[in-house]
Amino acid sequence: QMTQSPSTLSASVGDRVTITCRASQVFGGSVAWYQKKPGKAPKLLIYGASTLDSGVPSRFSGSGSGTEFALTITSLQPDDFATYFCQLYTGYEFPFGGGTEVEI
Amino acid sequence: EVQLLQSGGGLVQPGGSLRLSCAASGFTFTDYTLSWVRHAPGKGLEWVASISAYEGHRKYADSVKGRFTISRDNSKSTLYLQMDSLRAEDTGVYYCARDQRYCGGECLAESFQHWGQGTLVTVSA
């Protein structure tokens, strides 16, 4: 299980924001982060806990290990207001966190 | 350009069946593990099932095990999800997704890099 916090985050353009996910136990696998906008498919931002997917702006970064992981967005841009999900992948289970809505 | 074009879905009564399809192009189909993920209204994302290149590995979420079947036709570059004994809680938008990791063989799924456009499944009387 992945516990994601906060569930809602109010921020302004230019802010630095951090979203965290905690796994219920130590696992063999890694974490990915996705951005989701209404009516659109999720977009992969980070995989392997800290590797930026191709084409993703460098203001996005991922960190963490063990059971604690984080997504940080430095200098929030208007296009970044969306919902973000973490995902644990072990090869056998792929639980998503509950999501964090980043709102203005 | 990688493309995943979904079809199927719609309105079905509880206990009914539906089959979703996902036609792939722009990459070598057998080089990647594929998955289905759903998004129920007002809820978060939920992984549904994954399948490796030659169907050696099939994994299912507990919530759909025994009711849903994931399969692929490599000759048609198409992924399927057969959904039987549908319940109201299966309602949502279903996405097919391709793994980020190049595999070239039988690999377990990891992160999901490319996604279909989504198709709505509504289970209601």
Side-chain angles (χ1 to χ4, degrees):
Chain A
Q1 298 300 324
M2 295 293 276
T3 302
Q4 187 172 341
S5 62
S7 56
T8 305
L9 191 161
S10 296
S12 301
V13 172
D15 284 354
R16 174 189 176 98
V17 301
T18 297
I19 300 166
T20 62
C21 265
R22 173 178 296 174
S24 56
Q25 60 187 42
V26 177
F27 59 92
S30 194
V31 167
W33 291 91
Y34 301 85
Q35 179 190 69
K36 177 80 170 66
K37 295 183 177 180
K40 297 204 168 180
K43 175 185 177 182
L44 177 65
L45 300 173
I46 303 281
Y47 61 92
S50 60
T51 302
L52 210 62
D53 194 29
S54 59
V56 175
S58 59
R59 62 181 180 273
F60 291 91
S61 64
S63 62
S65 62
T67 60
E68 299 277 343
F69 298 87
L71 171 71
T72 298
I73 312 171
T74 57
S75 189
L76 202 64
Q77 297 301 299
D79 190 50
D80 300 339
F81 291 95
T83 301
Y84 294 84
F85 292 92
C86 62
Q87 178 220 348
L88 166 67
Y89 52 94
T90 68
Y92 300 93
E93 296 179 297
F94 306 87
F96 286 87
T100 296
E101 182 181 3
V102 177
E103 60 180 23
I104 300 174
Chain B
E1 180 191 3
V2 173
Q3 288 195 338
L4 299 171
L5 186 61
Q6 297 181 225
S7 59
L11 174 64
V12 63
Q13 292 187 339
S17 297
L18 275 177
R19 188 175 85 155
L20 306 183
S21 300
C22 173
S25 60
F27 64 97
T28 302
F29 193 67
T30 50
D31 282 344
Y32 292 88
T33 296
L34 302 169
S35 302
W36 290 96
V37 175
R38 66 187 180 186
H39 192 191
K43 297 190 176 181
L45 297 171
E46 181 186 15
W47 167 75
V48 173
S50 295
I51 187 167
S52 58
Y54 298 98
E55 304 187 307
H57 297 295
R58 298 192 207 204
K59 305 296 179 187
Y60 297 93
D62 288 344
S63 57
V64 306
K65 202 172 294 183
R67 300 186 299 121
F68 289 13
T69 302
I70 188 171
S71 63
R72 59 194 291 166
D73 185 335
N74 290 341
S75 69
K76 296 180 179 179
S77 295
T78 301
L79 173 72
Y80 301 101
L81 184 68
Q82 176 66 41
M83 304 184 292
D84 298 320
S85 302
L86 282 160
R87 306 167 180 167
E89 54 264 36
D90 295 319
T91 293
V93 177
Y94 284 69
Y95 297 97
C96 59
R98 196 208 80 175
D99 249 39
Q100 178 277 329
R101 180 181 61 161
Y102 166 85
C103 174
E106 292 289 88
C107 296
L108 298 171
E110 293 194 344
S111 58
F112 310 135
Q113 185 181 43
H114 294 279
W115 297 71
Q117 81 276 20
T119 187
L120 178 62
V121 172
T122 304
V123 184
S124 174

